[in-house]
Amino acid sequence: MAMRFMMIIKSNEDSEAGVMPTKEEIEAMGRYNEEMVKAGVMLAGEGLHPSSAGARVSFDGGKPSVTDGPFTESKELVAGFWLIQVKSKEEAVAWASRCPAPQQGPGGVIEIRQVFETTDFPEETLSPEEAARQNAMRADLERKNAGR
């Protein structure tokens, strides 16, 4: 049974400062991405602009509040991600371990988190009807993304 995992590249001072990767780093990452695509495990993957170009929407009492970036604590921020589909957490760790250094300098970290599937929820919180609706939406998204 395949499971989806998000591999999250944590930000560091350079990524938050908008330092772009070198040509060699881009080429190495391209080869890594190509390897994952050829292996059939990569579903998506992108780098993100620094938090200075972003915003946060917080909810207090159900009301949204918007804060523009930049945000402090770069080690808590996300610089990029991959969404992969593999057979186990161990396989996800193995793919992350093969990644070329995602960032130069201190703070190169990839966090691995499993994505919830509809089968992970007990029936009392996710009815069979809602699970079917969620699965249909996911299948529709996959079809739409395949046509891009």
Side-chain angles (χ1 to χ4, degrees):
M1 169 98 180
M3 297 177 262
R4 293 179 298 158
F5 287 87
M6 181 168 273
M7 299 191 316
I8 303 162
I9 302 169
K10 296 295 197 153
S11 293
N12 67 9
E13 289 180 18
D14 285 348
S15 64
E16 276 300 294
V19 175
M20 297 299 285
T22 66
K23 178 181 177 186
E24 293 77 21
E25 291 167 335
I26 289 173
E27 289 172 354
M29 197 59 70
R31 287 189 299 273
Y32 175 71
N33 289 341
E34 185 176 25
E35 187 179 351
M36 286 198 296
V37 169
K38 284 181 179 178
V41 301
M42 186 169 160
L43 302 175
E46 304 293 339
L48 302 174
H49 285 267
S51 71
S52 60
R56 279 190 180 151
V57 180
S58 304
F59 295 86
D60 187 15
K63 294 184 179 190
S65 172
V66 178
T67 306
D68 288 325
F71 307 115
T72 58
E73 289 299 319
S74 63
K75 67 182 177 190
E76 300 298 324
L77 300 174
V78 177
F81 70 93
W82 291 276
L83 185 61
I84 62 172
Q85 189 165 6
V86 293
K87 294 180 181 140
S88 66
K89 181 174 85 173
E90 292 75 21
E91 188 178 353
V93 169
W95 277 107
S97 298
R98 293 168 60 184
C99 180
Q103 299 165 350
Q104 295 302 322
V109 174
I110 298 175
E111 181 178 325
I112 300 168
R113 305 276 302 273
Q114 187 173 355
V115 175
F116 274 107
E117 306 293 347
T118 54
T119 56
D120 293 327
F121 292 91
E123 193 171 311
E124 57 270 12
T125 60
L126 184 69
S127 68
E129 297 80 19
E130 181 60 21
R133 188 171 80 83
Q134 294 290 330
N135 289 334
M137 277 192 302
R138 181 171 172 212
D140 189 39
L141 282 171
E142 288 173 1
R143 278 191 302 277
K144 287 178 181 176
N145 288 331
R148 288 186 177 185

